[in-house]
Amino acid sequence: MKEIERKYLVNDDTFIAQAYSSSRIAQGYLCARRVTARVRIYGDKGFITFKGKSKDRGLSRFEFEREIPIRCAERLLSRCSGTVEKIRHLVNFEGYTWEVDQFTGKNEGLVVAEVELTNTTENPPLPEWVWTEVTADFHYRNSYLAQKPYTEWFK
């Protein structure tokens, strides 16, 4: 399956009042090279995901995800060298579902919003809390944040 999304920094927390769902996520990376292998605990479910190399300025890439037993996800996550923790808020805005990730732990202070698209030329309407696009900036990829946390960028 092909994943097409845009990623933006968020400039305030007004999105929280607009969220229809909020869930804790913990994820780690088993491999973060040409293909990224990620294990994730999303709420009370476990997932394993493989993502290919980004194309189209980071807009699209191959993605394969499957649910796995939560105990397997916990075991795999404990073997990851770096992890990312966040609260994911889902917000509907003008026909689009926005995934707003409010990072915690070593990435505290970073808030990123993603929106999935049907094609690479699509330009969704932006909520007032969206600031600037960072789709092509690898620093905001979770696999990078797992190894180089946001709180360490300014030291």
Side-chain angles (χ1 to χ4, degrees):
M1 175 182 286
K2 189 178 198 180
E3 173 188 59
I4 303 170
E5 66 185 11
R6 288 182 178 263
K7 186 180 288 195
Y8 300 84
L9 294 179
V10 173
N11 62 11
D12 66 47
D13 66 358
T14 57
F15 65 89
I16 295 173
Q18 299 169 20
Y20 66 86
S21 174
S22 298
S23 300
R24 291 201 171 274
I25 295 176
Q27 64 190 43
Y29 293 85
L30 303 167
C31 176
R33 295 198 171 42
R34 288 185 59 98
V35 173
T36 300
R38 174 186 75 199
V39 61
R40 172 185 276 179
I41 297 174
Y42 191 158
D44 62 353
K45 295 184 177 186
F47 297 90
I48 191 150
T49 307
F50 300 94
K51 292 188 176 194
K53 188 174 174 131
S54 295
K55 298 179 180 180
D56 308 314
R57 299 176 334 275
L59 287 171
S60 68
R61 61 184 166 170
F62 164 81
E63 179 183 69
F64 174 83
E65 181 172 77
R66 288 293 180 261
E67 188 172 343
I68 60 174
I70 189 77
R71 286 189 176 177
C72 290
E74 289 168 343
R75 195 164 185 193
L76 287 169
L77 193 59
S78 72
R79 287 167 168 65
C80 295
S81 61
T83 59
V84 171
E85 298 171 3
K86 57 191 175 180
I87 301 170
R88 173 161 289 167
H89 305 276
L90 301 180
V91 179
N92 284 329
F93 183 77
E94 295 191 22
Y96 291 87
T97 298
W98 288 79
E99 296 177 341
V100 185
D101 290 341
Q102 189 175 24
F103 289 85
T104 60
K106 292 181 180 180
N107 288 294
E108 183 81 35
L110 180 61
V111 183
V112 176
E114 295 179 354
V115 61
E116 291 205 16
L117 308 171
T118 56
N119 64 66
T120 58
T121 60
E122 194 171 353
N123 286 306
L126 302 180
E128 65 280 356
W129 34 265
V130 164
W131 178 37
T132 187
E133 186 168 5
V134 293
T135 303
D137 189 339
F138 72 91
H139 294 97
Y140 295 98
R141 291 188 186 148
N142 288 276
S143 57
Y144 183 85
L145 293 168
Q147 300 303 316
K148 306 276 191 230
Y150 181 71
T151 57
E152 295 177 9
W153 291 8
F154 308 102
K155 290 183 178 180

